Amino acid sequence: MTAAERRKVLERGLHAAEFVFCRPDPATGLLTAPAGAPEMMLGALRTALVPAAETAGAARLTHYLNALGSGRDAEPELLASCFAAALRHGVILSAGVADERAEFLLGRMEQLFSALKLLPSCLGRAERPELSPGAEALFATLPEGKAAVRSALANADELSRGRCFLFRSGKLIPVSPESVKPVGKFFGFAGMRAIYQDHFRDFTSGVCNVPLLIHSLPGYGKTSMVLSHALASPEVTVILPEPAALEREWDTLLDKLIRRPDRKFVLFFDDIDPRSVDWYHFRTNVGGAFSPPAHIMVVLSSNYEFPAGILSRGRRMSYPVFDEVRCIEMVEDFLRDFGLKRPPKNLVSLIAADYTEEFGQKKFTELSPRTLMRYLTVYGMSRGKRRTIAEMSLGDVITKPDGELFYEFNIELMRSLYGEEYIQKLLKDKLKNL
């Protein structure tokens, strides 16, 4: 390639980079680019086009190339910057769209990468040894050709790394939650399960994206049920921000997801304390002056009740208290799933009673659906335990789960969570009903 041909490629690459990354600043009339890789790419291309004699005291080309190639994740970061720029142009390259905007942008990206690959050859003989191994590797592996550029940028999509992400400091971090199981493996609380199925079906089918506001005592499986029902639909991606993001990073997160109408997002704020949250951003952006677009649904989960002003913006789910009746319902559902079409009442009663007895022996720290499922998992795996309880169920004396035990545990748990005043109010309401 002649010097003139090389200069032409670099000029096209610079113009492409300015189109992809830059926005005019009305105050100065200058083109500005986001800090980081875009700024470094523009600096490198401009420096490569300026004669060396005119750059005395300025950053040299090697400085820009080494800055671009520094760090273990240099290539992913550079490609991610280009993918983010495409989103700002309204083009989602990972969706495989082949409209005019996408093709035009890809053409500019191809010109940009062709110019970037040429940059190391622009170094003088004295500068070449100063190029770092990281920069050498980066520019050697950059994609070449429109198809390769499209593929590389699609792989740079941060959402291509999974379907469940933590949101921390403006970044999406892929995770594989351990509590996800098939939706058919939840037992008891039939009314609650029906609400989950109905609400997530409406969201994925585009009927509505009204926020789901879930409240229960600890250990009822709220987290697991939300994740399982959300991830049961292949088109749904779950985002798990920190509770504090309701106040600090709400706009950043929403802006990131609004740009991705090719996916459906469940924005799941788990284990929040409504009493200490500043609800300003939520009230403004959910049912206030604005509402999330149809491909984003907010789910809030808490051990405490939500304020009335927040409940009015969504669908309220409040779990009934876990007692001996719901314990028996869960055991019956488990046995049906285990293969018994009509679980004998005596067997169900003995299993529930054995669970409460193990709680009394301090094998569990709480009476809750969570610890009952732990007990039933052991029961299902232990042939000896199953045989013993089955033989006892044929006897004359059948033990029932102790309702008083559930009552006392729930009262103490509510007292520790909500205070004595809450318990007094419960008792007063109960007396009024009498």
Side-chain angles (χ1 to χ4, degrees), residues 297-310:
M297 182 175 76
V298 179
V299 178
L300 305 179
S301 170
S302 177
N303 296 330
Y304 302 88
E305 186 61 273
F306 293 94
I310 301 305

Side-chain angles (χ1 to χ4, degrees), residues 254-270:
L254 217 59
D255 183 61
K256 186 184 283 282
L257 304 185
I258 284 172
R259 296 178 185 273
R260 299 302 304 270
D262 57 312
R263 290 182 178 239
K264 290 185 179 295
F265 295 98
V266 169
L267 189 51
F268 182 25
F269 290 88
D270 191 21

Side-chain angles (χ1 to χ4, degrees), residues 188-326:
F189 295 94
M192 297 293 101
R193 286 188 283 137
I195 293 175
Y196 280 111
Q197 292 169 7
D198 172 64
H199 202 78
F200 280 94
R201 182 177 59 246
D202 282 352
F203 171 58
T204 55
S205 60
V207 173
C208 79
N209 66 333
V210 173
L212 195 58
L213 310 174
I214 309 166
H215 156 251
S216 81
L217 291 172
Y220 282 46
K222 301 183 293 295
T223 302
S224 183
M225 292 190 82
V226 169
L227 292 175
S228 294
H229 282 82
L231 295 174
S233 300
E235 68 270 33
V236 171
T237 299
V238 177
I239 310 296
L240 301 166
E242 292 177 308
L246 272 171
E247 301 172 4
R248 295 197 307 265
E249 297 180 293
W250 177 267
D251 294 335
T252 302
L253 175 56
L254 217 59
D255 183 61
K256 186 184 283 282
L257 304 185
I258 284 172
R259 296 178 185 273
R260 299 302 304 270
D262 57 312
R263 290 182 178 239
K264 290 185 179 295
F265 295 98
V266 169
L267 189 51
F268 182 25
F269 290 88
D270 191 21
D271 199 23
I272 66 173
D273 186 345
R275 303 166 303 174
S276 60
V277 172
D278 179 353
W279 292 102
Y280 171 77
H281 290 287
F282 183 86
R283 289 198 310 267
T284 302
N285 291 283
V286 180
F290 309 99
S291 288
H295 67 285
I296 300 173
M297 182 175 76
V298 179
V299 178
L300 305 179
S301 170
S302 177
N303 296 330
Y304 302 88
E305 186 61 273
F306 293 94
I310 301 305
L311 287 172
S312 65
R313 286 167 162 77
R315 183 176 186 177
R316 178 177 181 262
M317 278 185 69
S318 187
Y319 277 71
V321 172
F322 180 65
D323 57 14
E324 72 277 14
V325 175
R326 293 184 179 90

